[in-house]
Amino acid sequence: MSEARGEGPGRYPRLALDDRVPFLARLEQEDRAALLALGPRLRFPPRSVVIRQEEPSDHILLLLNGWMKVTAAAANGYEALLALRGAGDIVGESAALSGRPRSATVTALEEVAAVAVDRQRFTEFLTRAPAVMLQLLALSNDRLRTADRRRLEVAALTVRERLADLLLELARTHGSATEEGIEISVPLSQQELAGSVGASREAVARLLKTLRDRGVVITRRRCLVITRPDVLRRIG
């Protein structure tokens, strides 16, 4: 890891407060600046593991820019994609606050800049800033609600329906309009897509091929463009 050079805090969307709104966007400017001043700015190269599952927890990360994935591995080796974290998000706070080992692995999907805050400094800051603590609790509740919704979807929907819903969600939250369609800016592999919908990579690869043959999506290496979101909506 090396120190980041002059990255700003990114642009945080002002949406209705749910798990898609990052932690830093919920804070008042003064609290945000004070929190970001508590630790050094670091840079992580693409595909580097930033936090490892079961490791001791001694710090949290505040993301300035770039995307990270949060995954958890089962005993049989299956890896589930639990979440994506981007600019303004906080990572590693649950284990840091509880003192328990890390419950998931966090990996940079691209070059990421972040502020690392020591666990003790972070907890001391929270005791002095109750408004920040309340926003952290609200974020944790929002993330739990999202996790519950995803478990329900795994039980109620087919893999085809879950993949269509995931692609639409990625298009809405991480998509940008291009001449070809809506390009998803987060560089996810087929394995990572499979981990997010609770399916095998082979099953997702077959579904993507079908969608590609129908002209619904364009796939490239770690790049996906949705050309027919209307078709995905009918599937989902």
Side-chain angles (χ1 to χ4, degrees), residues 49-162:
V49 176
V50 176
I51 290 172
R52 291 186 185 277
Q53 189 173 344
E54 301 301 336
E55 279 186 346
S57 52
D58 58 3
H59 69 283
I60 60 101
L61 292 174
L62 301 165
L63 305 190
L64 300 177
N65 37 51
W67 288 101
M68 290 183 169
K69 66 171 181 174
V70 182
T71 59
N76 63 0
Y78 182 80
E79 185 179 80
L81 177 63
L82 304 181
L84 297 172
R85 300 287 180 243
D89 275 321
I90 184 171
V91 175
E93 75 284 357
S94 295
L97 289 174
S98 68
R100 296 175 180 174
R102 303 291 193 186
S103 61
T105 294
V106 181
T107 306
L109 292 173
E110 55 190 357
E111 187 169 287
V112 171
V115 169
V117 180
D118 175 79
R119 175 191 173 196
Q120 183 174 347
R121 296 192 75 184
F122 181 60
T123 54
E124 289 174 352
F125 176 82
L126 292 178
T127 61
R128 300 192 306 269
V132 176
M133 172 66 86
L134 287 175
Q135 290 298 342
L136 185 60
L137 289 173
L139 176 65
S140 297
N141 182 65
D142 291 338
R143 288 179 174 178
L144 283 173
R145 287 165 63 98
T146 296
D148 289 343
R149 176 173 54 81
R150 288 178 177 170
R151 281 192 289 269
L152 178 61
E153 289 172 352
V154 168
L157 302 178
T158 66
V159 174
R160 182 170 176 262
E161 291 168 334
R162 296 200 300 270

